[in-house]
Amino acid sequence: MPTTLKIFTRVLPAAAVAVGLVFASPANAAQTKTKTKTTKTVTAKIALGDKRPAKAKAKATKAKKKVTAKATVACSNTTITPDAANLEVVRVTLLCLHNQIRANAGLPLLKDNAKLRKAAVGHSNDMVAEGYFDHTSLNGDTFVDRILEAGYAKRNDGWTIGENLAWGTGELSTPQAIMNAWMNSAGHKANILKKAYKEVGISVRLGVPTDAGVGATVTADFGAKV
């Protein structure tokens, strides 16, 4: 899916994705390549992580009201390319698309959470600045460490958290393209459609780990306290 900027500048879109799941299957990684209509390849990187808190406080099961998601969620600005002037619009659109997908599946909608967003912002910034793409930071912090350090929950409390990562350039950096990439990956789709999640924090940072001057990098941190 090529995209043309101005008259003489052509950007070949590229994208990558990664996923981390608490209570997931054993860690594994895979790489796939898919040809676009122009025979250029789009690379997708997928990684699953398995980690859980050392202790979880036992809590009595309480009766919960049945939550019915809205039948439809309309989202605008789904095909805009991220730039310095519209990053907040892109972030809000990504949140809307998450809830659109969950609503269509009959799932409760995710609420924007400031502490999850703090963890997401920090990680997107770090990946672009340091030139890596992974759920584990170069200093060894996992996505679990980052989310808990942001104050979302205490390590020994009960919680479930997950993380989706993506970066893209050109047409593959739009909110819809990012969501399409995630929904076409089993691990990412599982995070987006996990019923247990109640909140999410999304970060959109200009630049990608391989080139800080193009595209955008997205981190979505999911969570629920149990």
Side-chain angles (χ1 to χ4, degrees):
M1 293 183 292
T3 182
T4 303
L5 301 181
K6 303 299 183 183
I7 297 176
F8 302 107
T9 303
R10 188 184 184 198
V11 177
L12 296 178
V17 287
V19 60
L21 293 169
V22 174
F23 313 138
S25 57
N28 65 81
Q31 287 189 327
T32 61
K33 291 185 177 181
T34 304
K35 290 188 176 181
T36 67
K37 293 180 180 179
T38 59
T39 71
K40 298 294 182 179
T41 58
V42 176
T43 302
K45 180 182 179 183
I46 301 169
L48 294 176
D50 180 12
K51 193 175 177 74
R52 63 187 68 206
K55 295 180 181 179
K57 292 181 179 179
K59 292 185 177 182
T61 303
K62 296 181 180 180
K64 296 182 179 180
K65 294 182 179 179
K66 185 177 180 180
V67 178
T68 302
K70 295 180 180 178
T72 59
V73 175
C75 301
S76 56
N77 303 306
T78 60
T79 59
I80 61 173
T81 302
D83 61 37
N86 68 10
L87 290 183
E88 178 62 12
V89 175
V90 173
R91 186 190 71 81
V92 170
T93 301
L94 281 166
L95 175 59
C96 181
L97 288 171
H98 276 79
N99 282 330
Q100 183 182 75
I101 291 167
R102 289 175 68 90
N104 290 340
L107 297 172
L109 307 188
L110 298 171
K111 295 181 180 179
D112 185 26
N113 181 275
K115 291 180 179 178
L116 288 174
R117 184 158 19 104
K118 177 182 177 181
V121 168
H123 195 51
S124 291
N125 290 344
D126 193 51
M127 288 191 293
V128 173
E130 300 299 329
Y132 72 96
F133 183 70
D134 201 284
H135 294 288
T136 301
S137 304
L138 296 183
N139 66 2
D141 284 348
T142 67
F143 71 97
V144 174
D145 295 326
R146 290 184 279 98
I147 291 172
L148 297 184
E149 286 170 6
Y152 181 67
K154 294 181 180 180
R155 189 168 293 274
N156 291 334
D157 286 346
W159 43 257
T160 178
I161 53 181
E163 180 173 83
N164 282 355
L165 304 177
W167 64 256
T169 63
E171 291 178 349
L172 297 187
S173 65
T174 69
Q176 190 63 65
I178 294 294
M179 292 304 297
N180 289 347
W182 281 340
M183 289 301 289
N184 280 288
S185 163
H188 301 82
K189 182 177 180 180
N191 264 350
I192 294 168
L193 292 175
K194 186 171 180 177
K195 185 176 182 180
Y197 291 147
K198 298 177 181 178
E199 299 158 319
V200 67
I202 298 172
S203 165
V204 183
R205 160 67 190 258
L206 288 181
V208 301
T210 57
D211 187 342
V214 299
T217 297
V218 179
T219 300
D221 286 334
F222 305 86
K225 300 168 188 177
V226 297

